[in-house]
């Protein structure tokens, strides 16, 4: 009969510029796809070079090595008798394009350039690529000699076209094109394309998975058709974690769901679907058929190949599945943990060093390392040879097999409580208790001698000794004394990260983990070059509110009683003297605002694009039941004043896992000045005028009542 097709899509843990490893993973995915009976294999966006090459796209080496990998793929026996769809940069007439290269049996069928480039948030594709702007047009691409020798072709089609096989029609769209108001799949579907493919380089953001799933299912619900989505997964060299979620959908239903978070470097999904189901679905939608009868045709590249077999009557079909979503707590426990694993194994360090304060943020970071260890143990138990080889290389034992997360945590995580004269017994005990429960190698030490020594140098040179405010010192002295403690902790952390394994007779060094959350970074509630300065920060893109939800989730999931004590304790930096042995300083009192308020400010500033006046106007309505206009104005002015004073700290922010859409990361995501007029005179005057008008109106209304 020849109407059932088996198609494959995949999620690959590619690494920027790792051409050797990327080629190996692509070949493995094609091999698995063929073993599962697929005759079409789709891979992620720019999979040959890795999506996150950034300014390396400017280099001719990146183009050259991508062509070399393509030649190797064309020549590989495993790529025979299956249509392979791979992603790579291509230079055409001296213009660089982000392309899909589709080939079959050593011949390139079509090079399809991306038409809508992602250029917001973390994406800068227009910096390196040009969009193909000629809709439904194609032209000749002259192959480099190294490819001509393999394919025996001089030119191949390049442009916006579709593939016409013996039994169906296939059209490509690339990542961002699915998210645009006029996605190519709409016009392609009206022109008879039955299978849509989307190669993505889409990164994780908390609560984002449903948006991707909704777009794919709606695309096929309105227009009918089969939709394949491939995505990169893992950390390919920077702050982003690409979260898989490969899928296959048809007529509005999902038939295959890939993992959002996993340690598998290669994941291949297949589905066997009936093309007649697409045709009958479309046949009864008259409005679609009327639009299709007027559709402009796409150029068709004829392919003498069929995705179906002649005798497929008894071939079983795939069944629809219900998409399973993670809770926010699960997302945080899995995403940053997978990112940490990629960072650790690819940096070839021996583990992590974490300053553990006994507070929520550093406890959450410790739990993420524990979660990473749990996922490693699960992967080893399920027979993943790559993970086992990586963990053996990390611990330096050829025959090692991890027993459980706690045992592995003892090998890979060193925690350290760095007490000062202002530290309480409660935080020390909480840190020690958590370390014991997760199994980390724990160190307790005092930085008081170092603080005394540094202040002694200052006093020796100046003849003056600064005092805390509670002892009669000024606010300047008080802040400086806090910062000395915080910065010395950073110095001690790096010393122990470099030499603690050496002192224990073990090889290697440790990556230092930071644990400043996204809200503290936004406000600048951290000391520049303190323990927030680290190699990487797995929670730097997570809000305090979400961190609390994660820690509550993890306390129940792993039965860690220490976390309940940490959750119940007030957040404090413990940098000022204790009052009768008790904490006298809390974070929210220091900041002059709550963490919940900070999250609101952050979302309005970044997501709603609100400056001081717009934020005031929005909060007037949002907080009308709890604040007067004057109180709202005071809160907005306090936030923007502190934000402006501390924005310079974002330039030195530790690279952090990107999880939140209001991240203040200065590197690429949140591009703003770091020298502000901190008084915001014009903006604050606009707010004040508005407050005065509202107060005047309120008095007039009260006078009218009297």
């Amino acid at each position: 009969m020849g109407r059932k097709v088996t198609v494959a899509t995949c999620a690959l843990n590619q690494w920027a510029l790792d051409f050797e490893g990327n080629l190996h993973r692509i070949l493995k995915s094609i091999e698995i796809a063929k073993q599962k009976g697929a005759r079409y294999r789709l891979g992620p966006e720019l999979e040959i070079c890795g999506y996150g090459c950034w300014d390396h796209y400017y280099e001719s080496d990146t183009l050259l090595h991508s062509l070399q990998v393509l030649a190797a793929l064309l020549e590989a026996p495993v790529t025979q008798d299956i249509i392979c769809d791979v992603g790579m940069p291509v230079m055409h007439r001296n213009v660089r394009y982000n392309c899909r290269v589709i080939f079959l049996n050593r011949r390139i069928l079509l090079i399809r350039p991306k038409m809508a480039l992602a250029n917001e948030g973390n994406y800068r594709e227009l910096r390196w690529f040009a969009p193909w702007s000629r809709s439904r047009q194609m032209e000749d691409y002259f192959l480099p000699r190294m490819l001509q020798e393999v394919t025996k072709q001089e030119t191949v089609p390049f442009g916006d076209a579709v593939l016409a096989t013996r039994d169906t029609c296939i059209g490509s769209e690339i990542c961002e094109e699915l998210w645009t108001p006029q996605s190519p799949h709409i016009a392609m579907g009206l022109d008879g394309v039955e299978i849509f493919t989307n190669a993505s380089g889409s990164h994780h953001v908390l609560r984002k998975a449903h948006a991707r799933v909704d777009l794919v299912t709606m695309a096929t619900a309105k227009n009918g058709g089969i939709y394949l989505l491939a995505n990169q997964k893992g950390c390919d060299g920077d702050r982003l974690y690409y979260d898989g979620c490969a899928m296959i959908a048809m007529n509005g239903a999902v038939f295959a769901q890939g993992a959002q978070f996993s340690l598998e470097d290669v994941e291949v999904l297949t589905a066997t679907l009936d093309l007649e189901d697409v045709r009958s679905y479309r046949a009864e939608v008259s409005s679609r058929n009327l639009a299709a009868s007027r559709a402009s045709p796409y150029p068709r590249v004829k392919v003498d190949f069929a995705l179906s077999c002649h005798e497929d009557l008894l071939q079983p079909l795939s069944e629809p599945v219900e998409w399973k979503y993670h809770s926010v707590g699960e997302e945080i426990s899995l995403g940053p943990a997978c990112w940490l694993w990629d960072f650790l194994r690819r940096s070839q360090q021996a583990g992590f060093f974490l300053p553990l304060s006994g507070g929520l943020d550093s406890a959450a970071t410790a739990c993420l390392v524990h979660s990473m260890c749990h996922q490693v143990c699960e992967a080893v138990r399920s027979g993943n040879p790559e993970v086992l080889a990586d963990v053996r290389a990390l611990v330096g034992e050829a025959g090692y097999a991890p027993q459980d997360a706690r045992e592995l945590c003892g090998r890979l995580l060193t925690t350290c409580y760095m007490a000062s004269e202002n530290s309480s017994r409660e935080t020390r005990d909480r840190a020690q208790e958590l370390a014991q429960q997760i199994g980390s190698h724990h160190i307790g030490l005092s930085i008081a001698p170092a603080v005394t020594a540094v202040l002694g140098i200052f006093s020796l040179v100046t003849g003056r000794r600064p005092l805390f405010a509670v002892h009669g010192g000024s606010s300047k002295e008080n802040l400086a004394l806090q910062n000395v403690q915080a910065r010395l902790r950073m110095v001690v952390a790096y010393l122990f990260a470099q030499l603690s394994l050496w002192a224990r007779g073990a090889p290697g060094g440790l990556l230092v983990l930071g644990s400043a959350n996204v809200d503290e970074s936004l406000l600048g509630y951290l000391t520049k070059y303190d323990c927030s300065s680290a190699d990487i920060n797995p929670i730097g893109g997570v809000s305090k509110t979400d961190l609390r939800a994660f820690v509550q989730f993890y306390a129940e999931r792993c039965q860690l009683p220490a976390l309940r004590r940490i959750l119940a304790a007030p957040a404090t930096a413990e940098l000022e003297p204790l009052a009768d042995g008790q904490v006298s300083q809390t974070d929210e009192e220091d900041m002059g605002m709550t963490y919940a308020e900070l999250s609101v400010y952050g979302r309005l500033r970044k997501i709603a694009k609100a400056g001081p006046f717009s934020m005031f106007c929005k909060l007037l309505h949002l907080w009308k039941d709890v604040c007067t206009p004057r109180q709202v104005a005071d809160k907005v002015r306090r936030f923007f004043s502190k934000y402006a004073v501390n924005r310079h700290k974002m330039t030195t922010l530790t690279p952090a896992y990107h999880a939140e859409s209001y991240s203040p990361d200065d590197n690429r995501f949140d591009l703003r000045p770091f020298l502000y007029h901190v008084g915001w005179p014009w903006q604050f005057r606009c707010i004040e005028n508005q407050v005065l008008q509202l107060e005047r109106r309120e008095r007039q209304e009260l006078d009218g009542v009297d």
Side-chain angles (χ1 to χ4, degrees):
M1 294 178 66
R3 64 185 195 182
K4 296 178 183 177
V5 295
T6 301
V7 288
T9 185
C10 59
L12 303 183
N13 194 335
Q14 303 296 73
W15 189 9
L17 303 177
D18 178 25
F19 293 97
E20 191 81 32
N22 293 348
L23 170 60
H24 169 75
R25 286 180 285 272
I26 293 169
L27 288 171
K28 184 176 178 181
S29 70
I30 296 170
E31 181 183 2
I32 295 171
K34 287 184 72 174
Q35 288 170 354
K36 293 185 173 184
R39 306 196 77 185
Y40 189 102
R41 175 269 182 200
L42 173 72
E45 185 174 12
L46 294 166
E47 60 188 304
I48 283 180
C49 56
Y51 184 83
C53 292
W54 310 137
D55 279 4
H56 289 289
Y57 287 122
Y58 288 133
E59 299 168 3
S60 60
D61 281 13
T62 305
L63 295 167
L64 170 65
H65 299 325
S66 295
L67 288 169
Q68 291 168 335
V69 171
L70 177 59
L73 287 168
L74 286 161
E75 291 182 305
V78 75
T79 63
Q80 301 303 297
D81 299 321
I82 181 172
I83 297 177
C84 297
D85 186 335
V86 299
M88 60 181 278
V90 175
M91 180 83 81
H92 176 54
R93 298 184 181 177
N94 291 343
V95 178
R96 201 178 289 101
Y97 295 97
N98 174 349
C99 293
R100 304 305 300 171
V101 180
I102 308 172
F103 63 89
L104 170 68
N105 294 338
R106 297 169 71 101
R107 292 181 65 82
I108 295 173
L109 305 174
L110 171 67
I111 300 177
R112 202 288 201 173
K114 192 172 183 178
M115 302 179 71
L117 300 182
N119 212 58
E120 68 285 327
N122 286 298
Y123 295 103
R124 293 286 181 277
E125 290 181 10
L126 280 170
R127 180 178 172 94
W128 310 294
F129 301 112
W132 180 257
S133 54
R134 280 171 275 178
S135 176
R136 297 180 181 84
Q137 293 183 43
M138 65 179 185
E139 55 196 35
D140 286 338
Y141 173 77
F142 286 81
L143 288 178
R145 280 174 295 179
M146 72 171 79
L147 293 182
Q148 288 186 31
E149 293 169 2
V150 177
T151 68
K152 310 306 179 188
Q153 298 166 286
E154 187 176 290
T155 63
V156 297
F158 184 102
D160 184 23
V162 298
L163 300 182
T165 65
R166 290 188 213 146
D167 50 358
T168 188
C169 191
I170 306 164
S172 298
E173 58 185 12
I174 306 174
C175 198
E176 179 75 6
E177 294 168 3
L178 173 63
W179 301 75
T180 59
Q182 288 187 304
S183 297
H185 69 257
I186 299 170
M188 289 191 296
L190 293 175
D191 190 36
V193 171
E194 295 176 328
I195 299 175
F196 310 103
T197 65
N198 186 308
S200 283
S202 183
H203 64 78
H204 176 231
V205 174
L206 289 171
R207 307 173 179 86
K208 179 186 173 184
H210 71 88
R212 210 180 291 146
V213 177
D214 291 348
L215 283 169
V216 170
T217 52
M218 285 305 298
T220 58
K222 288 196 298 183
N223 211 353
I226 297 167
Y227 202 108
L228 282 66
L229 185 138
N231 194 19
Q232 184 154 312
K233 70 191 302 188
C235 166
D236 79 340
D238 75 346
R239 295 160 173 79
L240 306 181
Y241 178 82
Y242 298 90
D243 60 337
C245 287
M247 70 182 91
I248 301 174
M250 181 177 72
N251 299 344
V254 175
F255 283 78
Q257 173 186 355
Q260 187 174 13
F261 312 105
S262 90
L263 303 187
E264 295 284 343
D265 282 347
V266 177
E267 179 189 31
V268 178
L269 301 182
T270 59
T272 301
L273 303 167
D274 194 335
L275 293 171
E276 288 302 317
D277 288 340
V278 174
R279 294 159 189 165
S280 60
Y281 183 90
R282 288 176 170 177
E284 65 178 357
V285 184
S286 59
S287 58
R288 182 230 165 246
N289 295 333
L290 286 170
S293 67
R294 299 189 295 268
S296 300
Y298 273 80
R300 276 166 160 73
V301 176
K302 293 181 181 178
V303 183
D304 188 16
F305 186 77
L307 300 192
S308 57
C309 303
H310 286 298
E311 301 299 327
D312 61 5
L313 184 61
L314 300 179
Q315 188 176 10
L317 291 170
S318 301
E319 296 291 333
V321 298
E322 185 175 346
W323 194 277
K324 294 180 177 64
Y325 293 97
H326 293 292
S327 67
V328 171
E330 286 176 320
E331 283 191 75
I332 296 171
S333 74
L334 296 170
C338 291
W339 182 77
L340 284 173
W341 174 246
D342 280 345
F343 219 102
L344 182 60
R345 67 191 179 113
R346 287 175 169 168
S347 67
Q348 297 184 326
Q349 297 301 297
F352 298 112
F353 183 91
L354 172 65
L356 190 63
S357 69
L360 184 77
D361 294 342
S362 62
T365 303
C367 289
L368 288 175
V369 179
H370 184 266
S371 175
M372 179 200 82
C373 293
H374 176 74
Q375 290 184 71
V376 168
C377 293
E378 288 291 306
V380 170
R381 273 194 288 273
S382 65
N384 187 314
E386 289 86 4
V387 173
L388 181 58
D390 284 335
V391 77
R392 284 174 172 172
L394 287 171
V395 302
E397 293 182 21
Y400 173 72
Q403 301 304 307
D404 55 43
R406 191 173 182 279
E407 182 268 336
L408 182 57
C409 207
R411 290 173 175 263
L412 297 183
L413 177 62
T414 298
T415 52
C416 182
Y417 182 79
M418 303 186 205
S420 74
E421 291 182 348
N422 304 316
S423 301
S424 66
R425 178 184 295 273
E426 286 77 11
T427 53
R428 183 194 67 189
D429 290 347
R430 291 199 299 265
Q432 190 168 347
E433 184 184 9
L434 178 61
Q436 190 274 329
Q437 289 175 12
I438 64 173
S440 66
H441 177 83
H442 189 64
I443 301 167
L445 57 83
S446 173
I447 62 167
V451 173
T452 301
V454 170
L455 292 176
I457 294 171
F458 180 82
S459 298
L460 186 66
V461 173
T462 64
R464 304 195 62 181
R465 188 165 193 85
L467 298 173
F468 282 106
V470 295
H471 299 146
S474 64
S475 59
K476 184 182 288 290
E477 294 169 72
N478 198 64
L479 185 58
L481 288 172
Q482 293 182 65
N483 288 344
V484 166
Q485 299 166 71
R487 291 187 173 118
L488 281 172
R489 286 188 171 121
M490 185 270 286
V491 173
V492 172
Y494 272 96
L495 175 64
F496 274 78
Q498 286 184 286
L499 293 180
S500 62
L501 291 182
W502 166 79
R504 286 146 57 187
L510 304 174
L511 290 167
V512 179
L513 295 181
S515 50
N517 64 62
V518 72
D519 297 322
E520 291 169 346
S521 298
L522 172 67
L523 192 66
Y525 183 64
L526 50 89
T527 300
K528 204 172 186 179
Y529 305 117
D530 68 350
C531 276
S532 64
S533 295
D535 293 316
I536 50 174
N537 179 358
I539 68 164
V542 185
S543 73
K544 191 77 165 189
T545 304
D546 284 339
L547 280 176
R548 289 191 70 85
F550 158 64
V551 171
Q552 286 171 337
F553 161 82
Y554 208 73
E556 295 168 11
R557 168 69 62 88
C558 297
Q559 293 300 301
L560 299 172
L563 292 179
R564 297 190 182 92
R565 288 183 59 198
I566 290 169
L567 282 164
T572 173
E574 285 197 334
L575 294 171
E576 293 187 36
L578 303 175
D580 298 324
Q582 300 299 311
V583 171
S584 61
Q585 172 190 31
T586 66
D587 290 354
E588 292 188 339
E589 286 178 12
D590 272 1
M591 294 188 298
M593 59 196 75
T594 66
Y595 280 108
E597 288 171 342
L598 256 179
S599 289
V600 174
Y601 300 144
R603 287 188 168 86
L604 289 175
R605 181 198 70 101
K606 178 67 179 175
I607 301 172
K609 284 71 174 182
F613 185 72
S614 295
M615 186 179 292
F616 165 74
C617 294
K618 290 177 184 295
L619 289 177
L620 267 182
H621 298 285
L622 188 64
W623 289 346
K624 65 180 184 297
D625 296 330
V626 292
C627 294
T628 65
R630 173 69 60 188
Q631 289 170 326
V632 172
D634 289 344
K635 287 175 179 289
V636 170
R637 283 192 285 247
R638 185 182 305 117
F639 167 71
F640 272 100
S641 295
K642 292 199 170 192
Y643 163 77
V645 166
N646 289 316
R647 179 65 192 184
H648 66 96
K649 297 178 182 178
M650 297 307 96
T651 63
T652 62
L653 210 59
T654 294
Y657 180 97
H658 181 88
E660 185 55 76
S661 49
Y662 68 89
S663 166
D665 166 34
D666 178 77
N667 176 265
R668 187 171 68 245
F669 183 71
D670 190 43
L671 306 181
R672 298 167 194 256
F674 56 86
L675 178 63
Y676 282 93
H677 190 318
V678 299
W680 302 85
W682 188 281
Q683 295 92 329
F684 285 1
R685 189 161 57 247
C686 289
I687 293 174
E688 182 62 21
N689 290 340
Q690 197 66 48
V691 171
L692 291 172
Q693 283 185 35
L694 291 168
E695 289 177 340
R696 195 179 305 119
R697 187 184 308 162
E698 186 179 4
R699 283 196 299 271
Q700 289 171 351
E701 289 172 355
L702 288 173
D703 291 343
V705 170
D706 292 342

